Amino acid sequence: MIKSMTGYGSSSKEAGSFQVTVELKAVNHRFCEINLRIPRSFLHLEDQMKKRIQRFIHRGRIEGFVNIEGEGLLVKNFKVDWMLLDQYVDALREIKNHYSIQEQVNLSHLLKQEEIFQIQEKEERSLAEVEELLLSCAEEAAQALLSMRRLEGEELKNVLIQYINELQQMVNSLEIRAPLVTRHYKERLEKRIRELYTGPVDENRLLQEVAIFSDKADISEELTRLSSHCSQFLQSLEIKEPVGRKLDFLIQEMNREINTIGSKANDQQIAQDVVELKTILEKMREQVQNIE
């Protein structure tokens, strides 16, 4: 099943006076990258949250936001290191007396010393219940994100099928057009020779020139491979595993064949078709960049 790499999912749960909310936003990325913004007290759960999210998300850049609301989860205490403070005050007085400094030691001098003052956080109640809520929300948010990705992926699939059908139709037209190129070249060459030379035309020489041109302008192999890539592309759209990279590779191969066709086929109509083929392929490439 085709899945988009962009989407949004969220989950919110309550337990007593606490509410946990997890939001996940996803955008395109070559690999799977998950960045979570978690309150410091729950940073130890980051790896577990990522593992739960990765059960559902295999590719893309995921930005996660965690919000925990409630009273009494943590109690903050202000602590003074009195021993260090005494040493600091004594040192200031010694410096003042030693250098005969007139300025008095005041509170502002002391408050600048951050190592003397500490704010300690203490759990007032067990965090186990809140931790389980957080992990559960992360999983549900990932499921919601996956659902949105699937919906967008279905739309992308329909668009890509339309593009690949257009491309295949043009390939079919080129298969009909290609044999005519040699015939038209033979007619133009024979006409040109008769305009420049009034004697009999050397048919063997003419056929030899036409054969050389036909070999150089032959695009049958490129068209066959291009049709094969189109079939593989359609088949890949039905695979359940992530196929974004495979589709991107197939588009690169299609582009290679189309470029070769454009360089080999000495025909104005085919040249115009090549431009149209590359336009369709570029539209496909833009869509594929968003597939997981």
Side-chain angles (χ1 to χ4, degrees):
M1 179 180 290
I2 296 297
K3 295 187 286 291
S4 169
M5 279 196 287
T6 60
Y8 172 83
S10 67
S11 175
S12 183
K13 290 181 176 293
E14 295 183 2
S17 60
F18 298 97
Q19 182 178 35
V20 177
T21 302
V22 176
E23 295 180 279
L24 299 177
K25 299 178 182 179
V27 295
N28 302 356
H29 196 270
R30 187 177 180 183
F31 304 106
C32 183
E33 180 181 307
I34 302 176
N35 299 311
L36 301 176
R37 298 182 182 179
I38 309 174
R40 186 175 60 182
S41 303
F42 297 93
L43 282 176
H44 61 283
L45 296 177
E46 183 174 6
D47 287 341
Q48 295 184 55
M49 290 182 64
K50 287 183 177 180
K51 288 179 181 179
R52 296 208 180 190
I53 294 171
Q54 287 174 331
R55 294 178 186 175
F56 308 95
I57 307 300
H58 305 287
R59 192 172 173 220
R61 177 181 284 111
I62 314 299
E63 297 290 338
F65 306 89
V66 177
N67 184 45
I68 302 176
E69 296 179 351
E71 297 295 333
L73 187 62
L74 292 173
V75 175
K76 295 183 178 180
N77 294 318
F78 182 77
K79 183 179 179 181
V80 179
D81 189 335
W82 293 104
M83 183 177 296
L84 181 60
L85 180 58
D86 288 342
Q87 296 177 22
Y88 184 73
V89 171
D90 290 341
L92 285 179
R93 286 172 177 169
E94 289 182 13
I95 294 172
K96 178 176 177 295
N97 294 331
H98 182 77
Y99 293 101
S100 300
I101 298 175
Q102 298 301 318
E103 184 181 358
Q104 296 296 320
V105 177
N106 56 48
L107 186 60
S108 63
H109 295 139
L110 305 178
L111 292 176
K112 294 178 181 178
Q113 310 309 311
E114 297 180 358
E115 65 276 7
I116 296 176
F117 308 102
Q118 298 178 4
I119 297 178
Q120 296 180 334
E121 293 182 346
K122 180 182 178 181
E123 297 177 11
E124 190 174 80
R125 53 172 289 179
S126 173
L127 298 181
E129 187 178 10
V130 180
E131 291 176 353
E132 186 55 39
L133 278 182
L134 183 55
L135 293 175
S136 179
C137 280
E139 188 167 327
E140 288 189 4
Q143 290 176 323
L145 173 59
L146 178 62
S147 297
M148 178 176 285
R149 282 181 146 199
R150 283 174 173 168
L151 290 175
E152 292 188 5
E154 194 63 28
E155 296 180 4
L156 287 174
K157 177 182 176 181
N158 294 333
V159 171
L160 289 171
I161 290 175
Q162 179 181 346
Y163 284 144
I164 206 72
N165 287 336
E166 292 178 9
L167 195 149
Q168 184 63 64
Q169 290 176 5
M170 296 196 66
V171 170
N172 296 338
S173 299
L174 287 174
E175 289 176 342
I176 297 174
R177 177 70 182 177
L180 301 178
V181 175
T182 301
R183 184 189 308 172
H184 294 164
Y185 175 76
K186 180 176 181 296
E187 293 173 354
R188 293 197 307 271
L189 183 60
E190 187 173 7
K191 180 181 178 181
R192 185 62 174 166
I193 292 175
R194 294 189 184 281
E195 290 176 352
L196 299 176
Y197 181 64
T198 56
V201 177
D202 186 344
E203 291 295 334
N204 290 332
R205 178 61 177 170
L206 177 62
L207 292 175
Q208 183 180 7
E209 290 294 331
V210 172
I212 293 174
F213 172 82
S214 178
D215 183 63
K216 291 182 178 180
D218 182 22
I219 58 174
S220 58
E221 292 184 7
E222 286 76 15
L223 292 174
T224 299
R225 286 194 291 268
L226 193 52
S227 292
S228 175
H229 294 330
C230 289
S231 298
Q232 292 182 58
F233 195 95
L234 288 174
Q235 292 171 7
S236 298
L237 293 177
E238 304 301 329
I239 298 176
K240 294 183 179 180
E241 291 77 16
V243 293
R245 293 179 184 173
K246 181 178 181 180
L247 296 179
D248 188 57
F249 171 77
L250 287 172
I251 286 181
Q252 292 179 29
E253 294 301 304
M254 291 182 194
N255 188 62
R256 192 194 312 276
E257 303 300 339
I258 292 173
N259 285 335
T260 304
I261 291 171
S263 63
K264 290 177 67 174
N266 189 6
D267 181 76
Q268 183 177 0
Q269 181 59 50
I270 292 180
Q272 294 176 356
D273 289 344
V274 165
V275 173
E276 184 62 27
L277 284 170
K278 298 189 76 169
T279 301
I280 296 174
L281 205 62
E282 185 59 31
K283 293 179 181 178
M284 291 175 61
R285 189 196 307 278
E286 293 176 359
Q287 300 297 335
V288 166
Q289 296 303 313
N290 196 35
I291 292 178
E292 182 179 74

PDB file of all heavy atoms in Angstrom, residues 252-266:
ATOM      1  N   GLN A 252      14.386   7.089 -12.542  1.00  0.00           N
ATOM      2  CA  GLN A 252      15.727   7.382 -13.058  1.00  0.00           C
ATOM      3  C   GLN A 252      16.020   6.542 -14.301  1.00  0.00           C
ATOM      4  O   GLN A 252      16.590   7.044 -15.282  1.00  0.00           O
ATOM      5  CB  GLN A 252      16.772   7.092 -11.981  1.00  0.00           C
ATOM      6  CG  GLN A 252      16.725   8.038 -10.790  1.00  0.00           C
ATOM      7  CD  GLN A 252      17.773   7.695  -9.750  1.00  0.00           C
ATOM      8  OE1 GLN A 252      18.834   7.168 -10.068  1.00  0.00           O
ATOM      9  NE2 GLN A 252      17.483   7.985  -8.502  1.00  0.00           N
ATOM     10  N   GLU A 253      15.633   5.267 -14.265  1.00  0.00           N
ATOM     11  CA  GLU A 253      15.852   4.395 -15.421  1.00  0.00           C
ATOM     12  C   GLU A 253      14.992   4.829 -16.606  1.00  0.00           C
ATOM     13  O   GLU A 253      15.445   4.789 -17.759  1.00  0.00           O
ATOM     14  CB  GLU A 253      15.538   2.943 -15.046  1.00  0.00           C
ATOM     15  CG  GLU A 253      16.492   2.355 -14.021  1.00  0.00           C
ATOM     16  CD  GLU A 253      17.935   2.389 -14.515  1.00  0.00           C
ATOM     17  OE1 GLU A 253      18.200   1.835 -15.602  1.00  0.00           O
ATOM     18  OE2 GLU A 253      18.786   3.000 -13.840  1.00  0.00           O
ATOM     19  N   MET A 254      13.770   5.223 -16.358  1.00  0.00           N
ATOM     20  CA  MET A 254      12.907   5.733 -17.435  1.00  0.00           C
ATOM     21  C   MET A 254      13.525   6.967 -18.072  1.00  0.00           C
ATOM     22  O   MET A 254      13.524   7.114 -19.306  1.00  0.00           O
ATOM     23  CB  MET A 254      11.519   6.075 -16.878  1.00  0.00           C
ATOM     24  CG  MET A 254      10.685   4.899 -16.456  1.00  0.00           C
ATOM     25  SD  MET A 254       9.058   5.457 -15.872  1.00  0.00           S
ATOM     26  CE  MET A 254       8.468   3.965 -15.068  1.00  0.00           C
ATOM     27  N   ASN A 255      14.025   7.843 -17.235  1.00  0.00           N
ATOM     28  CA  ASN A 255      14.645   9.067 -17.749  1.00  0.00           C
ATOM     29  C   ASN A 255      15.859   8.748 -18.619  1.00  0.00           C
ATOM     30  O   ASN A 255      16.095   9.405 -19.639  1.00  0.00           O
ATOM     31  CB  ASN A 255      15.061   9.953 -16.577  1.00  0.00           C
ATOM     32  CG  ASN A 255      15.536  11.318 -17.014  1.00  0.00           C
ATOM     33  OD1 ASN A 255      14.787  12.094 -17.604  1.00  0.00           O
ATOM     34  ND2 ASN A 255      16.790  11.627 -16.740  1.00  0.00           N
ATOM     35  N   ARG A 256      16.603   7.722 -18.219  1.00  0.00           N
ATOM     36  CA  ARG A 256      17.764   7.309 -19.012  1.00  0.00           C
ATOM     37  C   ARG A 256      17.338   6.840 -20.405  1.00  0.00           C
ATOM     38  O   ARG A 256      17.945   7.203 -21.417  1.00  0.00           O
ATOM     39  CB  ARG A 256      18.503   6.195 -18.267  1.00  0.00           C
ATOM     40  CG  ARG A 256      19.890   5.884 -18.842  1.00  0.00           C
ATOM     41  CD  ARG A 256      20.394   4.561 -18.289  1.00  0.00           C
ATOM     42  NE  ARG A 256      20.252   4.483 -16.840  1.00  0.00           N
ATOM     43  CZ  ARG A 256      21.123   4.982 -15.977  1.00  0.00           C
ATOM     44  NH1 ARG A 256      22.207   5.609 -16.430  1.00  0.00           N
ATOM     45  NH2 ARG A 256      20.933   4.859 -14.690  1.00  0.00           N
ATOM     46  N   GLU A 257      16.281   6.030 -20.448  1.00  0.00           N
ATOM     47  CA  GLU A 257      15.804   5.520 -21.741  1.00  0.00           C
ATOM     48  C   GLU A 257      15.251   6.648 -22.613  1.00  0.00           C
ATOM     49  O   GLU A 257      15.489   6.689 -23.828  1.00  0.00           O
ATOM     50  CB  GLU A 257      14.722   4.459 -21.517  1.00  0.00           C
ATOM     51  CG  GLU A 257      15.135   3.271 -20.671  1.00  0.00           C
ATOM     52  CD  GLU A 257      16.294   2.500 -21.262  1.00  0.00           C
ATOM     53  OE1 GLU A 257      16.550   2.609 -22.474  1.00  0.00           O
ATOM     54  OE2 GLU A 257      16.971   1.773 -20.501  1.00  0.00           O
ATOM     55  N   ILE A 258      14.527   7.567 -22.011  1.00  0.00           N
ATOM     56  CA  ILE A 258      13.946   8.680 -22.772  1.00  0.00           C
ATOM     57  C   ILE A 258      15.050   9.571 -23.338  1.00  0.00           C
ATOM     58  O   ILE A 258      14.959  10.025 -24.496  1.00  0.00           O
ATOM     59  CB  ILE A 258      12.988   9.490 -21.879  1.00  0.00           C
ATOM     60  CG1 ILE A 258      11.761   8.651 -21.543  1.00  0.00           C
ATOM     61  CG2 ILE A 258      12.562  10.787 -22.566  1.00  0.00           C
ATOM     62  CD1 ILE A 258      10.830   9.281 -20.525  1.00  0.00           C
ATOM     63  N   ASN A 259      16.099   9.817 -22.559  1.00  0.00           N
ATOM     64  CA  ASN A 259      17.218  10.610 -23.070  1.00  0.00           C
ATOM     65  C   ASN A 259      17.892   9.924 -24.257  1.00  0.00           C
ATOM     66  O   ASN A 259      18.286  10.586 -25.238  1.00  0.00           O
ATOM     67  CB  ASN A 259      18.249  10.839 -21.957  1.00  0.00           C
ATOM     68  CG  ASN A 259      17.793  11.876 -20.949  1.00  0.00           C
ATOM     69  OD1 ASN A 259      16.973  12.751 -21.262  1.00  0.00           O
ATOM     70  ND2 ASN A 259      18.304  11.793 -19.734  1.00  0.00           N
ATOM     71  N   THR A 260      18.027   8.615 -24.173  1.00  0.00           N
ATOM     72  CA  THR A 260      18.645   7.869 -25.276  1.00  0.00           C
ATOM     73  C   THR A 260      17.778   7.938 -26.526  1.00  0.00           C
ATOM     74  O   THR A 260      18.282   8.104 -27.644  1.00  0.00           O
ATOM     75  CB  THR A 260      18.855   6.398 -24.872  1.00  0.00           C
ATOM     76  OG1 THR A 260      19.641   6.342 -23.677  1.00  0.00           O
ATOM     77  CG2 THR A 260      19.571   5.632 -25.978  1.00  0.00           C
ATOM     78  N   ILE A 261      16.474   7.819 -26.336  1.00  0.00           N
ATOM     79  CA  ILE A 261      15.553   7.926 -27.474  1.00  0.00           C
ATOM     80  C   ILE A 261      15.694   9.288 -28.132  1.00  0.00           C
ATOM     81  O   ILE A 261      15.741   9.409 -29.370  1.00  0.00           O
ATOM     82  CB  ILE A 261      14.101   7.694 -27.010  1.00  0.00           C
ATOM     83  CG1 ILE A 261      13.906   6.233 -26.592  1.00  0.00           C
ATOM     84  CG2 ILE A 261      13.109   8.071 -28.113  1.00  0.00           C
ATOM     85  CD1 ILE A 261      12.568   5.964 -25.929  1.00  0.00           C
ATOM     86  N   GLY A 262      15.764  10.328 -27.312  1.00  0.00           N
ATOM     87  CA  GLY A 262      15.888  11.677 -27.854  1.00  0.00           C
ATOM     88  C   GLY A 262      17.177  11.886 -28.628  1.00  0.00           C
ATOM     89  O   GLY A 262      17.206  12.624 -29.620  1.00  0.00           O
ATOM     90  N   SER A 263      18.266  11.237 -28.196  1.00  0.00           N
ATOM     91  CA  SER A 263      19.549  11.416 -28.881  1.00  0.00           C
ATOM     92  C   SER A 263      19.675  10.560 -30.132  1.00  0.00           C
ATOM     93  O   SER A 263      20.420  10.905 -31.051  1.00  0.00           O
ATOM     94  CB  SER A 263      20.694  11.074 -27.916  1.00  0.00           C
ATOM     95  OG  SER A 263      20.633   9.714 -27.517  1.00  0.00           O
ATOM     96  N   LYS A 264      18.920   9.447 -30.214  1.00  0.00           N
ATOM     97  CA  LYS A 264      19.061   8.520 -31.342  1.00  0.00           C
ATOM     98  C   LYS A 264      18.063   8.801 -32.466  1.00  0.00           C
ATOM     99  O   LYS A 264      18.403   8.676 -33.648  1.00  0.00           O
ATOM    100  CB  LYS A 264      18.887   7.069 -30.864  1.00  0.00           C
ATOM    101  CG  LYS A 264      20.033   6.576 -29.991  1.00  0.00           C
ATOM    102  CD  LYS A 264      19.778   5.174 -29.476  1.00  0.00           C
ATOM    103  CE  LYS A 264      19.793   4.153 -30.603  1.00  0.00           C
ATOM    104  NZ  LYS A 264      19.681   2.781 -30.075  1.00  0.00           N
ATOM    105  N   ALA A 265      16.861   9.131 -32.110  1.00  0.00           N
ATOM    106  CA  ALA A 265      15.804   9.261 -33.118  1.00  0.00           C
ATOM    107  C   ALA A 265      15.918  10.594 -33.848  1.00  0.00           C
ATOM    108  O   ALA A 265      15.699  11.649 -33.276  1.00  0.00           O
ATOM    109  CB  ALA A 265      14.444   9.141 -32.457  1.00  0.00           C
ATOM    110  N   ASN A 266      16.243  10.541 -35.109  1.00  0.00           N
ATOM    111  CA  ASN A 266      16.396  11.738 -35.946  1.00  0.00           C
ATOM    112  C   ASN A 266      15.054  12.066 -36.594  1.00  0.00           C
ATOM    113  O   ASN A 266      14.869  11.904 -37.798  1.00  0.00           O
ATOM    114  CB  ASN A 266      17.466  11.482 -37.009  1.00  0.00           C
ATOM    115  CG  ASN A 266      17.831  12.756 -37.764  1.00  0.00           C
ATOM    116  OD1 ASN A 266      17.369  13.838 -37.409  1.00  0.00           O
ATOM    117  ND2 ASN A 266      18.628  12.603 -38.792  1.00  0.00           N
TER     118      ASN A 266
END
